[in-house]
Amino acid sequence: TPDDGAVEIAGGGFFGSILDTDGREKDDFQLLRKYRQISQQPECDAAVEDIVNEAVVADNNDQSVSIVLDRLPYTEKIKRKIRNEFDEVLSLLDFDIKGHDIFRRWYVDGRIYYQCVIDPSDPTAGLQELRFVDPLKIRKVRERKKPDISIPKEATLKKDMSGEYYEYYLYSEKPVSKQGNTIGTSDYSKKQIKIAPDMVAYAGSGVTNAGRKMVISHLHKAIKPLNQLRMIEDSLVIYRISRAPERRIFYIDVGNLPKMKAEQYLRDIMQRY
């Protein structure tokens, strides 16, 4: 079961391709915004800071993360190359300085994307830059292959139990409104740029919803208690404000006394207290 949160599109003609309409499209973006709002709450912010500080250890003498290849069945020469490339990636990410922010972003959003930039004139030179991409603006798409459609040049052809499919990423400068309505592939692609899967580095939280279709953040379990906390705080403030003037008011019941006797009774009570 794919657990990378990709949108599945049925391949086909001009009007044949549809997005699934179970509301997941809309929820992905709403959830991301919800997670970011949650992380702004003081209690959640303090908890996330504690978690990030425990996870990313700052050390002046050594880097905070390293790669262990003890159980890899390869020669020391290959392992040395892997370690060197790992260090190269860390330097491209500027991990010693930005490691805390990178981990926090991943922890709050539940996913992180980087565009891998290479030099087109000299691809053998390797990675030149890693650019962070806002998860609201990019998403992975899995398109089922039909016999009569041509292969998109950005896509990668893969195979699973239910047949062949293409994988690619769609990027949009503005977050596209996901209403879950049926739109053609040509219509869908006009608004967005297709990116080959090997040009994007993606890491999900590893946590999925009950249907195993949507990647959720580790902060997801904080939504309910945080909503309850906000409701309690608001209701408590409203209750205390509304009760405050009542503490200085005396309700004097005069029943059906005549006006003169009622005023006299009221004055007696006032003098007594």
Side-chain angles (χ1 to χ4, degrees):
T1 308
D3 57 356
D4 52 6
V7 187
E8 295 214 10
I9 296 180
F14 193 79
F15 294 107
S17 295
I18 58 165
L19 294 175
D20 55 354
T21 56
D22 59 0
R24 179 164 57 97
E25 287 293 302
K26 191 169 54 182
D27 288 350
D28 255 5
F29 290 84
Q30 285 182 353
L31 275 178
L32 271 170
R33 291 197 173 101
K34 186 80 174 169
Y35 296 147
R36 291 176 185 184
Q37 286 169 5
I38 285 175
S39 67
Q40 300 298 313
Q41 183 81 5
E43 290 85 359
C44 278
D45 182 56
V48 170
E49 277 300 315
D50 284 347
I51 291 163
V52 176
N53 287 334
E54 287 288 331
V56 181
V57 181
D59 190 344
N60 292 329
N61 304 318
D62 197 10
Q63 60 190 33
S64 58
V65 59
S66 59
I67 189 164
V68 178
L69 305 170
D70 295 346
R71 298 173 65 183
L72 208 64
Y74 295 118
T75 60
E76 190 55 41
K77 186 180 177 185
I78 294 174
K79 287 182 181 180
R80 200 178 306 116
K81 283 186 176 180
I82 293 173
R83 286 193 195 99
N84 290 341
E85 289 304 319
F86 185 78
D87 291 341
E88 174 67 17
V89 170
L90 284 184
S91 68
L92 285 172
L93 287 171
D94 205 1
F95 198 85
D96 287 341
I97 296 167
K98 296 182 181 172
H100 184 280
D101 297 331
I102 291 169
F103 187 87
R104 187 188 165 94
R105 259 183 208 155
W106 170 83
Y107 188 84
V108 171
D109 289 346
R111 69 211 73 192
I112 196 163
Y113 296 89
Y114 277 94
Q115 183 196 1
C116 307
V117 181
I118 58 169
D119 184 358
S121 58
D122 184 15
T124 54
L127 284 178
Q128 301 299 308
E129 191 184 345
L130 285 170
R131 289 182 191 158
F132 173 75
V133 184
D134 188 345
L136 286 172
K137 298 179 180 179
I138 191 169
R139 69 179 313 147
K140 194 174 189 178
V141 174
R142 192 175 292 111
E143 186 174 347
R144 292 282 155 198
K145 181 176 181 283
K146 290 277 181 180
D148 55 345
I149 61 167
S150 59
I151 300 173
K153 65 177 185 296
E154 301 91 350
T156 301
L157 184 63
K158 294 190 177 183
K159 200 168 189 177
D160 65 4
M161 296 289 283
S162 56
E164 294 180 321
Y165 60 89
Y166 303 115
E167 272 190 349
Y168 52 89
Y169 287 89
L170 282 177
Y171 174 82
S172 169
E173 189 53 46
K174 291 181 180 175
V176 178
S177 61
K178 304 286 181 182
Q179 299 302 326
N181 51 345
T182 305
I183 46 179
T185 305
S186 58
D187 206 27
Y188 194 49
S189 307
K190 271 180 199 169
K191 300 176 183 175
Q192 299 168 322
I193 303 162
K194 282 185 182 179
I195 305 172
D198 54 358
M199 294 301 293
V200 177
Y202 161 75
S205 65
V207 187
T208 54
N209 66 345
R212 302 244 171 224
K213 291 260 183 159
M214 188 164 64
V215 176
I216 56 176
S217 165
H218 288 281
L219 276 184
H220 194 82
K221 58 182 83 73
I223 292 176
K224 186 179 177 182
L226 186 65
N227 286 341
Q228 290 173 334
L229 176 68
R230 282 174 176 165
M231 284 160 63
I232 289 170
E233 287 175 346
D234 292 347
S235 62
L236 202 64
V237 169
I238 291 165
Y239 174 77
R240 287 185 176 165
I241 288 172
S242 64
R243 292 284 292 173
E246 290 190 10
R247 292 171 187 275
R248 305 191 204 100
I249 293 173
F250 288 79
Y251 290 97
I252 313 297
D253 185 20
V254 293
N256 51 5
L257 285 174
K259 187 172 183 291
M260 293 289 287
K261 285 190 176 179
E263 287 176 0
Q264 187 184 348
Y265 176 62
L266 205 63
R267 274 195 294 273
D268 289 348
I269 297 284
M270 281 169 66
Q271 283 167 5
R272 195 182 303 167
Y273 292 105

